[in-house]
Amino acid sequence: MNKIEKLQEIIYASDNIVFFGGAGVSTESGIPDFRSESGIFKSLEKYGDTPERLVSHSYYLEHTEEFFSYYKDCLIFPEAEPNSAHYTLARLEKEGKLKAIITQNIDGLHKKAGSKNILELHGSVYRNYCEICKKEYNLDFILESEGIPHCTCGGIIKPDVVLYEEALDMNILNKSAQYIMSADTLIVGGTSLVVYPAAGLINYFKGKNLVLINKSQTDYDNLATLVINEAIGETLAKIK
C-alpha cells in the first residue's frame, strides 16, 4: 500500500477529522511562505528593517504609514484562488468527515473554497476594524486607502491580523485545542511546526491517526501514523 492509499484508508475510516495548516497550504495558490528564499520575509528586506520588527505591534504603532505601505505591498494577495488542498478539505467538511480547519494563514482561502468551520489563529486580511469605534471595514477599503486608512470617526482602521508582540485570541486557541482533543484523526499540512504557541496545539491530540503532510521534515515525524513529504495540494488532490 502506498502513502496516498494509506491516507485514503485513514480518511475513509475516520468520522472526526481536524485539519491544522500553515503557510504551505497556500503556496500552491501563489502566496509565498515566510522564511524561504522567495518568501515574504525576503520581500520585506527592501524596507530597511528586520522582517520580525516590520510585522510587530511596536512598529505598527511607531511607523504606522510605513506599516500599511508594506502590508499592502507584501502581505495581501486578493487575486489568489484556492487550490486542491482548500477544495478537498471543503468537500470533506461537506461530507461530514472534517469537523474543523485550524489555520495559521490570514489569506481567507479556506472560506473562499467553501469551508465553514474555520479557526483563524492569526486573523484575516478580510476583517478590519476601527481602533476607536470598532466599525468594521472590508479589504477593498484598505487597498483603496491612501496612506493610513481612517474610519469616519477619525480612528485608524487596523487589520484583524495578529502581529509579533500580540497575543493570539485565547477563545480561538481554546476552541482549537478542544477540536484537536476530540478528533480521531489530525491532519497537519503545510507547516514545519516551529511557530509557537500555534505549533503546540498538536500536543493536545489523543486520537488514533496523526498525519503529517509537509515538503520538509518536522520534529513530530516520529510521532506520526503517516508522513508524506510532498506538497499538500498535490497530495489532497488524489483523495476521493
Side-chain angles (χ1 to χ4, degrees):
M1 181 184 293
N2 65 34
K3 289 190 173 185
I4 296 298
E5 289 169 340
K6 176 67 174 172
L7 176 58
Q8 184 78 65
E9 183 183 77
I10 288 171
I11 290 173
Y12 181 78
S14 304
D15 59 11
N16 191 342
I17 302 170
V18 170
F19 179 80
F20 177 80
V25 178
S26 295
T27 51
E28 290 165 275
S29 294
I31 297 178
D33 60 13
F34 280 86
R35 291 173 177 81
S36 72
E37 271 304 302
S38 57
I40 288 170
F41 275 12
K42 204 74 179 169
S43 68
L44 287 173
E45 287 180 357
K46 64 186 177 187
Y47 288 92
D49 215 323
T50 65
E52 288 86 356
R53 173 146 167 75
L54 287 167
V55 288
S56 69
H57 182 74
S58 55
Y59 192 90
Y60 168 78
L61 292 178
E62 295 161 16
H63 306 278
T64 311
E65 189 160 357
E66 291 92 336
F67 170 87
F68 276 103
S69 175
Y70 75 72
Y71 174 72
K72 290 192 275 189
D73 189 30
C74 301
L75 295 177
I76 301 176
F77 300 87
E79 70 292 333
E81 292 296 329
N83 61 55
S84 298
H86 300 102
Y87 286 121
T88 300
L89 293 168
R91 174 172 59 80
L92 290 173
E93 182 187 49
K94 200 172 180 182
E95 291 170 359
K97 288 191 167 292
L98 183 73
K99 304 306 180 186
I101 289 171
I102 302 162
T103 180
Q104 299 176 80
N105 298 334
I106 59 174
D107 51 47
L109 290 181
H110 285 294
K111 185 176 181 181
K112 212 170 182 179
S115 291
K116 305 295 184 195
N117 193 22
I118 310 160
L119 297 162
E120 294 171 315
L121 294 171
H122 296 149
S124 170
V125 299
Y126 287 91
R127 294 190 302 271
N128 306 273
Y129 62 91
C130 171
E131 293 189 307
I132 294 175
C133 74
K134 306 305 178 188
K135 182 178 176 181
E136 296 181 4
Y137 288 84
N138 61 23
L139 179 59
D140 287 341
F141 187 90
I142 301 297
L143 292 172
E144 292 162 9
S145 297
E146 292 289 330
I148 302 170
H150 282 94
C151 176
T152 49
C153 79
I156 295 172
I157 301 167
K158 184 181 184 295
D160 185 13
V161 169
V162 179
L163 304 175
Y164 277 88
E165 304 165 353
E166 293 180 346
L168 299 188
D169 184 316
M170 283 307 297
N171 184 43
I172 293 175
L173 262 182
N174 290 335
K175 258 188 178 177
S176 299
Q178 289 296 325
Y179 273 112
I180 289 173
M181 284 172 70
S182 64
D184 56 16
T185 294
L186 176 62
I187 301 175
V188 180
T191 173
S192 51
L193 294 170
V194 294
V195 178
Y196 285 81
L201 285 168
I202 196 171
N203 296 318
Y204 287 95
F205 181 62
K206 309 297 179 195
K208 186 178 180 183
N209 300 297
L210 173 61
V211 178
L212 301 181
I213 308 171
N214 194 54
K215 283 185 175 180
S216 58
Q217 294 179 330
T218 78
D219 290 342
Y220 289 84
D221 286 9
N222 62 319
L223 301 175
T225 313
L226 176 65
V227 176
I228 301 177
N229 292 133
E230 303 289 345
I232 179 82
E234 289 177 21
T235 301
L236 292 187
K238 298 169 185 171
I239 299 303
K240 305 303 177 193

